[in-house]
Amino acid sequence: MTPPAQTPLLESLLQGGLLLMATALVVALVLYNRQRRRGRRLGRKLEAAHSRLDNALLHDRLTGLKTREEFEASLEIAAAACDRDRSTLGVLMLGLDQFRVVNDAFGHALGDTLLQRVAARITEALPGCAAARLAGDEFVVLVPGQDALVRQRTLKLLDAFKAPFEVDGQPLQVGCSIGLALYPLHGARQRLTTNAHAAMRAAKTAGGGAYSEYEPSMGVNVREQAELAHELRTAVERRELELVYQPKIDALSLQITAAEALLRWNHPRRGVVSPGVFIPVAERHGLIGAIGNWVIEEACRQAAEWREQGLRMRVAVNLSGFQVRQHDLVDRIEAALKAHRLVPSRFTCEITESVAMEDTKITQQAFDRLRSAGVHVSIDDFGTGYSSLASLRRLPAAELKIDRAFVSDLETSHDSRAIVTAVVQMAHSMDLRVVAEGVETEAQRDLLVLLGCDELQGFLFAKPMSAKALALWASDDGPRAEGMFRPSLFEDTNALPLDP
Ligand code: C2E
Ligand code: MG
Ligand code: MG
């Protein structure tokens, strides 16, 4: 049987329909592909726009540096890492000196170009460090690393501003002031940027072109300082001042050798104010003389009380530069020693290295008189000033206290170990005993003993405590770690005889 014949019309209709469908399919495919390409292009454009938006939000338009928010986020992460692996970092706040003058004299366009050049110089000097522009001419940089390294990098950044900036074909010399706050040394992570800012303001106030490291007194504003000074005037009479004591112990025998008196102000509203805050205020407002005299008298009174209880150790007080320059300082010390019948060699005057090195006639006289009075002199915070061996030889010192900064770096910093080694050798060659302050870990203690330190002081052994608590701590049944400590290095001292 033959299949039924299709009519030519039907055949051509079918063929035409198929062709139409095929064409429609091709057109649809082309359109679909084009749409997909366009979609992809659109997606890419959208992505680019997003990233530009992110950039605009995260980066400063003018300089391309991070914004404050981005910087704070980076700082948060870096500080958390420090907490985790006990590392350290620094925040540098940089402000241009006289930027307003440039802006006023040359116009804002040139000022903007200068800010761009400054940003480039910051990133060149400290590559890999997160940097941001906070406002106007203020920049902030996060520098990871040990304290000593951060200080070195701060100097490097300062140095980078020595060369003039090329702006519109003109060389423009612009200096800067830098404030440095270290973490964790200078306090909580939330205060870091503020503290670095306060330090930068201090550098500017001191004339600019330099860097300042944060000190607690910088965090107190001018109005607060005036208020503190006013209240400090009556603090002695109101019995708001108190001495707490921190022991020094012999590195080998672990016997107590001394108790250092550290001043506290129990403020009725503010709580305990640390000496780092109020001593500079007292110095600036001429109050340190009266406060210093109270400290000498109170420490001597306490030393006599301890002696009566059978405790045998030196008592140390800290003297400020102002006190050392007071003509009657040694008279006062001698009078207090006599009144409480104390042996002068059991009384230590701690004087910071920077004060001790002031080579003035008046400080020299004070040292000569301290020597002839027979009191024990200690050079505090050693390593932070710029002593020469010759000037050290002239002092009547019997003790050097290595600054906490070197001790805290000891485990990680080769430089700090080298410095401690050199200081110990030098001090021993001059018959000085070496005390390491701020010992916080057993590893630090072991290294310090190995390097030849004679005495140790720090939170590892005891924090500063009340006189009563110290007496308990130093007695046989006191609350201290077993085997850490034995009562006293010294023989009993009798009270000096009363004057006839
Ligand atoms: P300084 O004489 O070098 O005292 C050491 C400071 O380090 C004390 O702080 C002490 O509490 C702290 N410290 C001790 N061990 C450790 C440790 O292991 N880790 C850490 N992180 N810190 C430790 P404080 O009591 O706040 O005193 C600060 C400074 O104020 C003293 O430094 C001293 O220069 C000054 N000062 C204290 N009392 C007086 C005073 O009666 N007169 C004068 N002129 N200055 C004083
Ligand atoms: Mg001291
Ligand atoms: Mg010290």
Side-chain angles (χ1 to χ4, degrees):
M1 260 190 46
T2 48
Q6 286 174 339
T7 63
L9 179 65
L10 189 62
E11 216 167 87
S12 67
L13 269 177
L14 265 172
Q15 275 171 3
L18 279 174
L19 198 71
L20 213 70
M21 272 168 68
T23 316
L25 202 68
V26 169
V27 170
L29 265 172
V30 168
L31 280 176
Y32 171 73
N33 272 339
R34 195 178 288 168
Q35 202 60 28
R36 246 174 56 153
R37 276 204 303 278
R38 191 183 288 170
R40 262 193 244 124
R41 261 204 315 272
L42 219 68
R44 278 200 298 273
K45 273 190 184 160
L46 214 62
E47 234 168 62
H50 267 303
S51 110
R52 272 202 306 277
L53 194 67
D54 272 357
N55 240 22
L57 287 176
L58 300 179
H59 291 87
D60 170 47
R61 274 244 187 90
L62 181 67
T63 61
L65 296 181
K66 288 178 189 289
T67 60
R68 179 190 290 270
E69 289 71 25
E70 241 295 271
F71 181 82
E72 289 293 332
S74 307
L75 183 55
E76 192 69 54
I77 294 167
C82 283
D83 296 341
R84 217 176 30 247
D85 42 67
R86 305 193 61 172
S87 54
T88 48
L89 61 83
V91 170
L92 311 187
M93 185 72 63
L94 182 149
L96 296 181
D97 296 334
Q98 312 290 339
F99 179 65
R100 257 190 44 207
V101 178
V102 176
N103 245 351
D104 291 349
F106 302 102
H108 289 274
L110 189 138
D112 284 356
T113 314
L114 174 65
L115 291 175
Q116 288 168 340
R117 301 274 190 278
V118 166
R121 202 163 280 187
I122 292 173
T123 39
E124 259 165 49
L126 301 173
C129 295
R133 185 168 75 113
L134 293 190
D137 64 336
E138 283 178 9
F139 298 83
V140 65
V141 195
L142 194 171
V143 183
Q146 292 148 14
D147 297 350
L149 186 75
V150 175
R151 289 185 186 106
Q152 259 176 32
R153 293 195 169 158
T154 312
L155 278 174
K156 188 177 170 207
L157 182 60
L158 201 61
D159 261 6
F161 278 72
K162 285 195 175 141
F165 291 88
E166 172 97 16
V167 183
D168 284 354
Q170 301 276 333
L172 204 62
Q173 188 67 59
V174 182
C176 70
S177 302
I178 303 177
L180 165 62
L182 296 164
Y183 181 77
L185 183 67
H186 292 142
R189 129 87 202 94
Q190 292 76 7
R191 299 279 312 160
L192 263 182
T193 319
T194 317
N195 289 350
H197 204 264
M200 182 197 76
R201 274 204 310 273
K204 279 206 174 184
T205 310
Y211 93 86
S212 283
E213 200 168 310
Y214 175 74
E215 285 172 23
S217 63
M218 293 172 179
V220 182
N221 64 36
V222 178
R223 223 187 83 210
E224 240 182 313
Q225 287 209 20
E227 229 176 77
L228 277 183
H230 178 71
E231 294 164 338
L232 203 48
R233 258 173 233 285
T234 49
V236 177
E237 292 154 35
R238 292 199 205 145
R239 297 172 171 264
E240 288 169 3
L241 295 184
E242 182 195 355
L243 289 180
V244 289
Y245 298 86
Q246 189 182 28
K248 299 181 194 176
I249 65 153
D250 185 80
L252 294 179
S253 69
L254 303 180
Q255 289 166 296
I256 190 166
T257 57
E260 176 181 3
L262 295 160
L263 195 51
R264 297 288 178 268
W265 180 9
N266 298 314
H267 191 284
R269 253 179 317 108
R270 296 172 201 264
V272 180
V273 186
S274 104
V277 171
F278 71 85
I279 297 266
V281 175
E283 282 174 338
R284 231 168 284 139
H285 290 82
L287 303 169
I288 193 71
I291 292 174
N293 290 340
W294 178 83
V295 170
I296 293 168
E297 170 59 30
E298 174 60 16
C300 286
R301 190 200 60 74
Q302 187 58 58
E305 195 177 309
W306 279 333
R307 182 197 52 217
E308 297 316 311
Q309 293 169 5
L311 280 173
R312 307 186 296 272
M313 60 201 171
R314 285 199 174 99
V315 171
V317 298
N318 291 282
L319 298 180
S320 80
F322 178 91
Q323 285 175 280
V324 176
R325 289 186 289 272
Q326 256 178 336
H327 68 277
D328 63 346
L329 168 75
V330 185
D331 294 335
R332 288 207 173 253
I333 292 175
E334 283 187 308
L337 291 172
K338 208 177 244 175
H340 297 284
R341 302 165 66 200
L342 296 175
V343 178
S345 62
R346 292 276 173 96
F347 186 78
T348 305
C349 293
E350 293 196 7
I351 300 167
T352 61
E353 182 192 11
S354 48
V355 170
M357 293 305 147
E358 278 174 21
D359 196 13
T360 59
K361 203 168 161 202
I362 188 135
T363 48
Q364 203 50 53
Q365 271 171 1
F367 284 125
D368 289 343
R369 291 210 50 209
L370 283 171
R371 177 184 280 135
S372 48
V375 296
H376 184 252
V377 174
S378 170
I379 310 296
D380 205 351
D381 303 344
F382 191 79
T384 53
Y386 302 92
S387 325
S388 68
L389 270 182
S391 46
L392 207 53
R393 242 178 242 289
R394 277 203 306 274
L395 299 175
E399 177 181 294
L400 270 194
K401 290 184 81 175
I402 298 185
D403 192 68
R404 181 151 60 90
F406 302 106
V407 175
S408 60
D409 269 4
L410 210 57
E411 289 158 80
T412 47
S413 160
H414 180 262
D415 283 355
S416 289
R417 281 199 295 277
I419 289 171
V420 173
T421 310
V423 168
V424 171
Q425 276 172 7
M426 177 199 73
H428 284 171
S429 74
M430 290 183 197
D431 275 340
L432 300 175
R433 272 174 83 79
V434 180
V435 181
E437 56 180 1
V439 186
E440 287 181 353
T441 67
E442 288 176 4
Q444 288 166 358
R445 175 199 62 195
D446 294 346
L447 268 167
L448 290 161
V449 172
L450 200 73
L451 296 177
C453 284
D454 303 293
E455 288 178 40
L456 308 171
Q457 189 181 24
F459 294 171
L460 176 67
F461 306 100
K463 289 194 169 173
M465 55 185 119
S466 71
K468 238 192 202 148
L470 187 102
L472 214 86
W473 188 90
S475 66
D476 281 336
D477 41 47
R480 54 192 143 63
E482 200 53 47
M484 283 274 270
F485 169 87
R486 279 170 234 123
S488 175
L489 185 73
F490 295 112
E491 294 298 307
D492 268 334
T493 9
N494 293 322
L496 286 184
L498 283 170
D499 278 343

